[in-house]
Amino acid sequence: MRNITIIGAGYVGLVTGVGLAEFGNKVICVDIDKDKISQLKSGLIPIYEPGLEEIIKRNVKSERLYFSDDISLSIQKSQVIIIAVGTPQTSEGDANMEYVNSVVRAINKNLKDYKIICTKSTVPIGTGGRIIKTLSNDFEEGIDFDYVSNPEFLREGSAVKDFLWPDRIIIGTTSDKAYEIMCDIYKPLYINKNPIKHTTVETAEMIKYASNSFLALKISYINEIANLCETVGADIHDVASAMGQDGRISDKFLHPGPGFGGSCFPKDLESLIAISKEKNIPMETLSAAKKANINQKAKMGTKLENLINASLKGKKIAVLGLSFKANTDDVRESSSIDMIEFILSKGGIVSAYDPIANVSMLKLFKNISYFDNVYDAIKGADALVVMTEWNEFRALDLPRIKNIMKNAFILDTRNIINMSELSKLGFVYDNIGRIKI
Ligand code: UDX
Ligand code: UDX
């Protein structure tokens, strides 16, 4: 059992803190956002993440999990300090390090005894080396610390599961002492098989970027294959499932869609491209993945226009799904943003519905209508666009929708609505890479 302080109680920091408490450590989750901390202290969960509320309650009750907005005191109380603050994309495309740097300064001021400084946030390759140099330069004699890169591989919407049952834990450090302590905090994970991999700091940083950008590349690849399928009469559903039977390919991340979003793929891809340019090493695959994703998002708008085969001006379009993927309230880089912008740019009217992300999207678009019931959003619509793969959109009452829509156009960007039902009911529909029935 170790004393751990996590700085940054966002989608990553909160799940990491709770997970480490679940593993028997004593954890303080710190955040600069006082409202967020007071919500957490009063038992409210500021983000939507399946299973998070119950595991937070359990660990608070067992006095392993605490929340604080006092970063100095929380650093002094713990031996392991984990940095999980945001590293959002700058306008130039690389990672904005201001939050990480401000946390490093706070740690520097509060190092009175040996500490492990561990970066969980996704940071540009080489950041660890720079942090070590900063801390060592400012250091009082005799005070000792070690640095660890421990990147996260949590998917939003399944982050609790991904944390408690990880495919791998990467511990990047040159210090055996720090490695031992980090293994200790993940102890319950290697009672049976050992998912822990010991690497250098730079290797750990690269593993994160290489993994995420590969997943982004894989999605852009299947999206382009799906687009080609539409022109050659092939069905992406069968293509992807047959591809996935090859163990070297695997069937994961082969679902075509409206383009990937989220706080990670676009940012991590951009950051790796920026690093490759800085090092003058061409990464054509990543630039292609980025461009293909931009194209895919734009293609959805064109698909909608072609579907209704008329101008969108004055047309009411129901947009179902606002978050960047199902099971999250996060709209960062969501393809729904591009779709809404496109419809508004053509003079269309948007009625939006998402099971939980309406509030998040309202911060970006105040000039569209939001509904708490999917059928209210669809009523009187000229067309309906499915943007995320929420389960409730897989079970829409199509006969009811046919009766309440003004015109029966459906664009399914996630291939989750049964085509034979759509054609039986007389809908005019489109999706991604499917052979129409
Ligand atoms: C972020 C990055 O997006 C991800 O790439 C990285 O791996 C981990 O950090 P996420 O948790 O989604 O992931 O970020 P966000 O939801 O923005 O949470 C960051 C939290 O840090 C926010 O709650 C913010 O208030 C807090 N923060 C930010 C601090 O506590 N101190 C700061 O100085 C800045
Ligand atoms: C991702 C990585 O999966 C995770 O390992 C990393 O730590 C953080 O970034 P996340 O962005 O939360 O996780 O969600 P993910 O499930 O990877 O989806 C990312 C985007 O790709 C979403 O917009 C999703 O809709 C899209 N996607 C995913 C597809 O379009 N097709 C797929 O087959 C899978």
Side-chain angles (χ1 to χ4, degrees):
M1 190 285 279
R2 298 281 169 172
N3 288 320
I4 301 170
T5 290
I6 305 250
I7 302 171
Y11 287 94
V12 171
L14 192 52
V15 172
T16 300
V18 167
L20 290 173
E22 183 74 0
F23 289 164
N25 300 288
K26 196 165 174 207
V27 179
I28 308 170
C29 282
V30 176
D31 203 290
I32 200 169
D33 181 338
K34 294 188 185 310
D35 293 343
K36 191 173 280 193
I37 293 299
S38 54
Q39 275 184 45
L40 285 161
K41 280 180 171 174
S42 51
L44 296 173
I45 315 300
I47 58 170
Y48 176 88
E49 191 57 60
L52 186 60
E53 182 162 5
E54 178 245 329
I55 194 171
I56 286 182
K57 284 196 169 32
R58 181 163 70 233
N59 283 280
V60 167
K61 191 156 167 276
S62 325
E63 296 183 346
R64 286 195 297 266
L65 180 62
Y66 301 85
F67 302 106
S68 165
D69 54 25
D70 184 339
I71 187 168
S72 301
L73 186 60
S74 305
I75 289 170
Q76 288 162 24
K77 280 184 176 173
S78 293
Q79 180 185 53
V80 181
I81 315 297
I82 297 180
I83 302 173
V85 293
T87 49
Q89 200 175 320
T90 64
S91 44
E92 290 76 55
D94 41 27
N96 174 351
M97 296 300 294
E98 67 174 286
Y99 305 125
V100 171
N101 296 337
S102 75
V103 171
V104 170
R105 284 193 294 276
I107 294 173
N108 206 351
K109 284 192 208 116
N110 293 282
L111 276 178
K112 306 287 178 256
D113 49 10
Y114 174 74
K115 301 261 185 232
I116 287 179
I117 293 139
C118 169
T119 298
K120 178 66 78 176
S121 294
T122 307
V123 291
I125 301 155
T127 300
R130 286 192 287 277
I131 291 178
I132 293 167
K133 216 177 276 154
T134 310
L135 289 171
S136 316
N137 291 344
D138 305 354
F139 238 42
E140 288 162 44
E141 275 311 303
I143 298 284
D144 192 11
F145 77 97
D146 281 314
Y147 180 86
V148 175
S149 166
N150 173 219
E152 50 91 10
F153 300 99
L154 309 177
R155 285 166 301 165
E156 288 183 27
S158 55
V160 173
K161 187 172 74 62
D162 289 350
F163 188 89
L164 300 178
W165 289 277
D167 293 332
R168 75 298 206 192
I169 304 270
I170 307 297
I171 309 283
T173 181
T174 51
S175 153
D176 289 340
K177 177 179 177 184
Y179 175 66
E180 292 312 318
I181 292 171
M182 290 304 289
C183 284
D184 198 22
I185 72 172
Y186 285 109
K187 194 175 206 142
L189 281 181
Y190 56 83
I191 304 294
N192 307 323
K193 67 179 177 83
N194 185 354
I196 295 182
K197 191 172 181 54
H198 189 182
T199 72
T200 65
V201 169
E202 291 73 20
T203 300
E205 292 168 341
M206 176 58 89
I207 289 169
K208 170 67 185 175
Y209 276 110
S211 304
N212 255 21
S213 354
F214 178 75
L215 292 169
L217 178 62
K218 195 172 181 186
I219 294 165
S220 280
Y221 175 79
I222 204 66
N223 283 340
E224 291 199 322
I225 292 289
N227 298 340
L228 191 59
C229 281
E230 291 182 1
T231 62
V232 298
D235 189 301
I236 190 61
H237 185 75
D238 298 334
V239 169
S241 63
M243 284 173 66
Q245 286 174 292
D246 183 326
R248 295 167 300 173
I249 298 174
S250 114
D251 58 357
K252 298 279 182 287
F253 280 60
L254 281 181
H255 306 294
F260 57 78
S263 76
C264 293
F265 281 179
K267 171 176 67 75
D268 295 353
L269 203 51
E270 201 62 66
S271 185
L272 200 49
I273 290 169
I275 294 167
S276 67
K277 283 201 178 105
E278 186 195 310
K279 303 293 181 191
N280 202 16
I281 298 286
M283 299 282 278
E284 307 303 346
T285 47
L286 302 188
S287 310
K290 174 188 168 190
K291 190 160 174 7
N293 198 49
I294 292 166
N295 295 345
Q296 193 71 3
K297 292 188 177 201
K299 191 180 175 74
M300 297 305 111
T302 320
K303 267 185 171 282
L304 175 62
E305 256 182 341
N306 296 341
L307 177 68
I308 69 172
N309 194 20
S311 153
L312 286 171
K313 192 170 171 49
K315 298 280 190 308
K316 180 180 173 185
I317 313 296
V319 176
L320 304 192
L322 302 176
S323 52
F324 77 95
K325 60 181 275 196
N327 301 315
T328 179
D329 60 350
D330 194 348
V331 296
R332 289 180 284 187
E333 303 282 328
S334 169
S335 296
S336 303
I337 294 171
D338 303 74
M339 177 54 80
I340 292 169
E341 278 172 351
F342 178 81
I343 295 165
L344 295 178
S345 73
K346 297 286 181 182
I349 299 150
V350 173
S351 68
Y353 169 80
D354 186 286
I356 53 167
N358 282 357
V359 175
S360 309
M361 194 60 97
L362 179 62
K363 293 176 194 144
L364 300 178
F365 293 99
K366 301 208 182 320
N367 57 341
I368 65 175
S369 349
Y370 295 89
F371 294 84
D372 292 331
N373 173 293
V374 67
Y375 298 103
D376 293 345
I378 295 171
K379 198 180 283 170
D382 292 288
L384 183 166
V385 186
V386 175
M387 292 301 294
T388 53
E389 68 289 9
W390 280 101
N391 284 333
E392 71 174 275
F393 300 155
R394 297 172 201 269
L396 287 172
D397 179 345
L398 294 177
R400 178 177 173 189
I401 288 175
K402 186 76 171 15
N403 288 334
I404 59 176
M405 283 181 81
K406 192 171 158 206
N407 287 304
F409 293 111
I410 290 191
L411 173 59
D412 174 10
T413 73
R414 296 286 182 164
N415 291 344
I416 57 173
I417 301 186
N418 183 298
M419 288 190 288
S420 53
E421 271 189 62
L422 287 171
S423 33
K424 246 185 291 176
L425 288 162
F427 281 98
V428 177
Y429 70 90
D430 193 5
N431 44 31
I432 313 264
R434 300 302 307 274
I435 297 173
K436 306 295 183 287
I437 296 176

